[in-house]
Amino acid sequence: TISARLPSEPFARGNAQTSTTIDALVRHEADLHTACAWLMIATGAAVVLVELGGGIAAAYGRYAATAPFARWLGPMVPAWFAWMFQESWSVLVPLALLPFSNPACLVSPGNLALGGMFLTHYTYRSFVYPLRIRGGKPMPLGISSLAALFCFFNGYLQGRLWTALHVFSLDTAADRAFLACGGAIWLFGWCVNLHSDSILRSLRRPGETGYKIPRGGMFEYVSAANYFGEIVEWSGYAVASRFHVGCLAFALFTACNTGPRALHHHLWYLQKFEDYPRDRRALIPFVW
């Protein structure tokens, strides 16, 4: 009987040590995750300085042909391929992380809701939106690769958060209120984004590649209604998370990345179309 018990003692100690090691790794990963979030915020600030301070527009879409450094960005690839290639990492990375998840995260209603917001947007953006593009301008492979790198990074940041590093509790009324209010804001922004994409798509008949003045929906108020919707969407996501730094970083980066482009679009429309509505703003209705 004694000999039967002896092997279990080192086995138990081994299990305890393994559990302690895993807990330590998770704690260190949580610190790394926070550092990654701050890196994303710093990168967003740099994007604003370059694109607004330097007056440089990212070299894709209507700006691909005129960007002074476009020839250094690799060959041009079809728009549908570029969007699918770059955005799909936001879905593939979280799915690849599932085998290494924390079971408590996977059964938490809060985690499922927040992870669902992220995956809903990017499943559409990765596998539906590219196939619906009409007359999209080819994109430099270098620009698409940079976007893919961001989506890979952000796929880890958001995917790991909701599958392993943080259990979003709904124990208090405040928790539930943040999730409900943030979810409603996210849903509004997502609908604006989808509707704006539909308006832009309808401007082109099959085979057309030119530009026209978008009208209807939020385009009556801003030149970049699709970007407005996306910023609102991820701001709601941040609110729903109770402003977790990982989610807040994504919302801030989205604003930093799309805000300057919205201004470039606005100025481009004003220059190209004499009858462009002068009361429209670039991104924020009635303000900017």
Side-chain angles (χ1 to χ4, degrees):
T1 306
I2 293 175
S3 63
R5 288 197 191 112
L6 287 176
S8 68
E9 293 178 4
F11 181 75
R13 287 197 298 272
N15 276 347
Q17 291 172 353
T18 301
S19 178
T20 301
T21 302
I22 292 174
D23 289 343
L25 288 173
V26 169
R27 284 196 299 273
H28 288 307
E29 187 181 6
D31 293 338
L32 174 64
H33 188 272
T34 299
C36 288
W38 283 106
L39 176 61
M40 181 179 284
I41 293 172
T43 303
V47 169
V48 170
L49 289 176
V50 169
E51 294 201 10
L52 283 186
I56 299 173
Y60 67 93
R62 67 195 71 184
Y63 311 109
T66 58
F69 51 88
R71 61 194 178 97
W72 302 106
L73 297 174
M76 305 296 281
V77 295
W80 70 267
F81 173 83
W83 281 100
M84 189 173 291
F85 166 68
Q86 68 194 41
E87 304 291 308
S88 59
W89 297 106
S90 296
V91 177
L92 298 177
V93 172
L95 293 180
L97 292 171
L98 284 176
F100 313 99
S101 60
N102 175 357
C105 291
L106 298 185
V107 297
S108 165
N111 287 53
L112 293 173
L114 286 153
M117 293 178 197
F118 183 76
L119 289 177
T120 295
H121 174 93
Y122 276 104
T123 297
Y124 172 81
R125 186 61 64 178
S126 303
F127 306 114
V128 179
Y129 171 77
L131 301 179
R132 304 182 73 187
I133 293 175
R134 287 184 187 173
K137 301 287 187 182
M139 186 183 299
L141 183 59
I143 291 291
S144 182
S145 298
L146 287 175
L149 181 63
F150 169 79
C151 287
F152 187 98
F153 181 80
N154 194 43
Y156 163 78
L157 198 68
Q158 308 307 322
R160 193 63 174 157
L161 178 63
W162 302 124
T163 62
L165 297 180
H166 180 72
V167 177
F168 187 87
S169 170
L170 295 179
D171 293 339
T172 69
D175 292 331
R176 296 188 290 273
F178 272 99
L179 184 62
C181 292
I185 296 170
W186 176 89
L187 182 60
F188 171 72
W190 188 52
C191 290
V192 169
N193 185 250
L194 291 179
H195 185 239
S196 301
D197 280 346
S198 177
I199 290 173
L200 291 174
R201 192 164 51 247
S202 68
L203 294 178
R204 288 174 177 160
R205 295 173 181 170
E208 288 185 338
T209 58
Y211 291 94
K212 302 174 183 176
I213 299 175
R215 301 186 186 277
M218 288 302 299
F219 280 112
E220 296 300 317
Y221 304 96
V222 294
S223 295
N226 48 337
Y227 296 154
F228 169 78
E230 197 159 349
I231 291 173
V232 171
E233 191 178 346
W234 298 122
S235 297
Y237 175 71
V239 171
S241 73
R242 297 200 70 167
F243 299 102
H244 188 284
V245 65
C247 304
L248 184 60
F250 181 31
L252 290 174
F253 183 88
T254 300
C256 290
N257 187 46
T258 59
R261 194 166 182 83
L263 180 60
H264 291 309
H265 279 9
H266 184 66
L267 297 175
W268 183 89
Y269 277 125
L270 288 171
Q271 183 177 20
K272 185 173 180 64
F273 298 103
E274 292 184 0
D275 58 339
Y276 192 75
R278 301 290 163 172
D279 56 345
R280 282 190 195 178
R281 298 294 181 260
L283 182 65
I284 304 173
F286 312 112
V287 178
W288 184 76

